[in-house]
Amino acid sequence: MQRRGVLRSAAMVAAGAGLASAAEKGARAENPKAAASAARLLPGSFVQTRDGTTLFYKDWGTGKPVLFVPSWALSGDMWEYQMTPLVARGLRCVTFDRRGHGRSSQPGHGYDYDTLADDLASVIELLDLRDITLVGHSMSPGEIVRYLTRHGSQRVARVVMLAPITPFLLKTADNPDGIPRQAFEAVRAALAKDRARWMAEAAGPFIGVGLPGVAVSAEVTQWVIGLCMQASLKALLDLHRTLTETDFRAELRAIKVPTLILHGDHDQSAPLALTGRRTAALIPGSRLVVYENTAHGLFLTHAERVNADLMAFINV
């Protein structure tokens, strides 16, 4: 793989989706210093967080709960090829739209891992989820890790990470194999100038177009690109800086719940050697499964295999 392609695609981390913020329910606290409100459920499948942000959620089925956390630029709709079949197999599947994404509100603040972990906690607590399997892709395994280290694992039975960007993407003196800051800054500049073009160019590497066995329709590719355009640009820029500059190395060592990592060996967005393998090495007792000829969007391109691995891990 050419170094230039790795830098550009690794900086992308995820080209995914969020539906338009169509209906913001309840009050929003645009000033992060404003008095926090009590987290509560709202009509119409919304959670209001402690700072007044509203998060849209889906809650389908009964049985063991599986909470799917979406990745950068995606809403919970990204998980439809997991949630639908798993519900049919007797599980309760929940997802939500991160702040700034999809049908959730778009505040001008809160795009840091502490706040995102608190948002995740609000969803878990208000829906009273227990013995949960937490599933995340790309950026969201970081949210899951921060939730565990910030709120504890009492409600969590196990964790599944798909193509995680953990432990640390940025090149520093003690992380010499990371991606140079200039590469990430270039991505943010391109997003700020013409994110439609950037997303369109990123879709191919994200899906793995041209890899053996990858057969995703042009319509699905266009669906992914269209979804990418619906998240707040401010959220995308702020979160891109957050996810590329946060160091999870110490936190990963503290994870005690069973953890499964699924990662493609042709992932340009989160190169396996930099992310998945190092994450697995840091989490005690974790298991890494490498998908051959697979890129970053394995939840789309290898949905049946992902679902089988999820079911086997949940039913252990």
Side-chain angles (χ1 to χ4, degrees):
M1 186 184 301
Q2 294 182 351
R3 176 66 173 171
R4 181 180 178 184
V6 171
L7 291 181
R8 182 188 182 284
S9 298
M12 149 181 138
V13 180
L19 289 179
S21 179
E24 294 190 5
K25 303 284 186 178
R28 294 189 304 171
E30 291 293 337
N31 180 357
K33 296 181 180 179
S37 59
R40 60 194 177 108
L41 288 175
L42 298 175
S45 298
F46 285 87
V47 164
Q48 180 176 287
T49 69
R50 292 174 179 85
D51 72 352
T53 300
T54 56
L55 306 176
F56 175 80
Y57 70 90
K58 300 178 185 180
D59 186 355
W60 299 346
T62 59
K64 293 181 180 178
V66 184
L67 176 53
F68 292 90
V69 188
S71 57
W72 178 79
L74 284 90
S75 71
D77 291 338
M78 66 170 281
W79 296 112
E80 62 182 47
Y81 296 109
Q82 281 69 52
M83 290 180 61
T84 302
L86 266 60
V87 166
R89 297 184 66 175
L91 295 175
R92 178 185 179 185
C93 292
V94 179
T95 190
F96 66 98
D97 297 350
R98 182 189 293 105
R99 62 173 60 213
H101 294 62
R103 286 148 289 197
S104 295
S105 59
Q106 298 190 1
H109 66 276
Y111 301 110
D112 59 272
Y113 273 114
D114 282 355
T115 301
L116 298 177
D118 292 349
D119 289 350
L120 177 56
S122 293
V123 173
I124 290 171
E125 292 164 11
L126 290 170
L127 296 181
D128 195 24
L129 302 178
R130 301 176 186 273
D131 195 30
I132 316 164
T133 300
L134 285 175
V135 183
H137 172 261
S138 193
M139 175 185 178
S140 58
E143 291 167 79
I144 291 170
V145 170
R146 184 60 54 86
Y147 168 82
L148 291 171
T149 58
R150 189 170 170 87
H151 294 273
S153 60
Q154 294 85 352
R155 292 175 177 262
V156 180
R158 62 192 66 82
V159 168
V160 182
M161 300 181 177
L162 278 66
I165 56 88
T166 52
F168 190 27
L169 289 176
L170 186 65
K171 182 175 182 178
T172 60
D174 67 345
N175 193 39
D177 295 326
I179 309 301
R181 185 183 302 274
Q182 296 89 331
F184 294 132
E185 293 290 357
V187 167
R188 289 189 283 272
L191 281 168
K193 181 178 180 180
D194 187 350
R195 67 165 167 160
R197 179 175 182 177
W198 189 89
M199 293 291 185
E201 292 177 348
F206 174 79
I207 291 171
V209 173
L211 290 176
V214 173
V216 175
S217 68
E219 291 78 8
V220 167
T221 302
Q222 290 301 314
W223 172 66
V224 171
I225 294 170
L227 290 173
C228 289
M229 296 302 298
Q230 303 306 318
S232 158
L233 178 58
K234 177 169 178 55
L236 296 185
L237 293 172
D238 287 359
L239 287 171
H240 190 272
R241 185 177 299 279
T242 293
L243 68 91
T244 57
E245 297 185 3
T246 302
D247 183 352
F248 285 103
R249 287 176 290 185
E251 288 176 86
L252 289 172
R253 295 186 182 97
I255 302 304
K256 303 301 183 184
V257 298
T259 302
L260 173 66
I261 301 163
L262 309 178
H263 212 119
D265 64 351
H266 280 64
D267 191 332
Q268 296 184 40
S269 303
L272 176 61
L274 180 63
T275 58
R277 290 200 186 281
R278 294 186 180 187
T279 296
L282 288 169
I283 299 177
S286 64
R287 181 164 65 95
L288 171 65
V289 177
V290 177
Y291 287 24
E292 295 183 357
N293 297 316
T294 303
H296 201 53
L298 68 169
F299 63 94
L300 285 174
T301 59
H302 294 69
E304 290 186 5
R305 182 177 176 184
V306 167
N307 296 345
D309 284 341
L310 284 172
M311 288 298 303
F313 188 55
I314 292 168
N315 290 325
V316 168

